[in-house]
Amino acid sequence: MHNVLRVGDVFKALADPTRRIILDELTDRNGQTLFEICSRLTTKHHLGSSRQAISQHLDVLEAAGLVETRREGRYKFHYINTAPLEPIIERWLRNPEKDAE
Amino acid sequence: MHNVLRVGDVFKALADPTRRIILDELTDRNGQTLFEICSRLTTKHHLGSSRQAISQHLDVLEAAGLVETRREGRYKFHYINTAPLEPIIERWLRNPEKDAE
DNA sequence: ACGTTATGCAAGCCGATGCTTGCCTGTCAA
DNA sequence: TTGACAGGCAAGCATCGGCTTGCATAACGT
C-alpha cells in the first residue's frame, strides 16, 4: 500500500482549481465526507461538479499525499496533510540539492 | 502589458518535470540563454528535448511569473523569480489545528 | 552583402486528463 | 428484509498539454 510519492504528483494535484478549493474546504473544516465536500462546493463556491468528479479529485489528492482518509462504517472522512508541501518550495528558495525526476 | 498572474498558472507551470529541472538549472546558474539551457538539459540531465520544446516551457514559466527575461542583442537571458512561490503554500499551512489532537 | 547564430511563430499529432454515464458494493435504519 | 444512503469501478468522450515540423525574423561576424 505504500505508493511512492513523487514530487510531480503534488504539483499535478495542485494544478487543478477544483482540487485547490477542496483543500481550502478541508482547511476550513477537516475530516469531511465526500458528500459534505460536494454540497459545500456547490453552495459556497457554485461549482456544479458531480459526486464522481469530486471523488476522482480526492483520489488524485490522496495519491499525492495531500489528503488522508479514515473509514468509519459507511462514511469515509478526508483529512488534509500539508507535509508534502513544505520541502518542495525550498527546493528553489535556497540552494539546490536536485531531486531526480 | 500587465498580464494577470493567476495562481493556477504557477502550479501548472510546476506540474511538468522538465520545467522543474529548468528552474533547477536557473537556480544553479542564473541568466542563461535558451541554447545554454538546452545544452545543459541534454548533457547534465540526459533530456532529449528540442529547442522549441524548451522555448515553449520557458514561455509557460514566464507566464506564471517564475521566469523573467531580458533581451540583449540577439541573446535573451532568463532569470528565475521565486516571488510567486511564497504566498501559494501558506494558503494551506496557516492551519489553526481546530480538531487535531 | 552573405551566411551563421539565436530566437519566434503556427499548425498538427497524440497521449494525458477531467468529466460524464451507468452499474455495482457495502452500511445502516425501519 | 427492504429501502435509502455513502461510496466505488469502469468505459467513453471531449478537451488540454507537450512535442514536433517547418518556416520566418533579427542580430551578429566576416
Side-chain angles (χ1 to χ4, degrees), chain B residues 7-61:
Chain B
V7 192
D9 294 338
V10 180
F11 290 111
K12 285 190 177 181
L14 295 175
D16 186 87
T18 303
R19 287 196 284 267
R20 292 196 298 273
I21 295 182
I22 290 177
L23 291 184
D24 289 337
E25 273 308 311
L26 290 181
T27 303
D28 184 53
R29 185 168 185 275
N30 213 2
Q32 297 187 59
T33 67
L34 173 60
F35 272 77
E36 288 182 273
I37 297 173
C38 284
S39 65
R40 283 193 156 214
L41 290 191
T42 56
T43 60
K44 296 177 57 177
H45 301 277
H46 306 91
L47 296 182
S49 304
S50 69
R51 174 186 64 87
Q52 292 85 343
I54 304 297
S55 177
Q56 290 168 4
H57 281 310
L58 287 171
D59 289 341
V60 175
L61 289 170

Side-chain angles (χ1 to χ4, degrees), chain A residues 40-89:
Chain A
R40 282 194 157 213
L41 289 191
T42 56
T43 59
K44 295 176 59 178
H45 300 277
H46 306 91
L47 296 183
S49 304
S50 69
R51 173 185 64 88
Q52 292 86 344
I54 304 297
S55 178
Q56 289 169 5
H57 281 309
L58 287 171
D59 290 341
V60 176
L61 288 170
E62 189 171 8
L66 291 168
V67 159
E68 294 176 348
T69 59
R70 180 172 58 93
R71 259 215 114 108
E72 196 162 326
R74 59 175 164 176
Y75 299 105
K76 186 178 182 183
F77 302 102
H78 300 79
Y79 302 89
I80 190 175
N81 179 26
T82 58
L85 293 178
E86 301 169 13
I88 61 181
I89 290 305

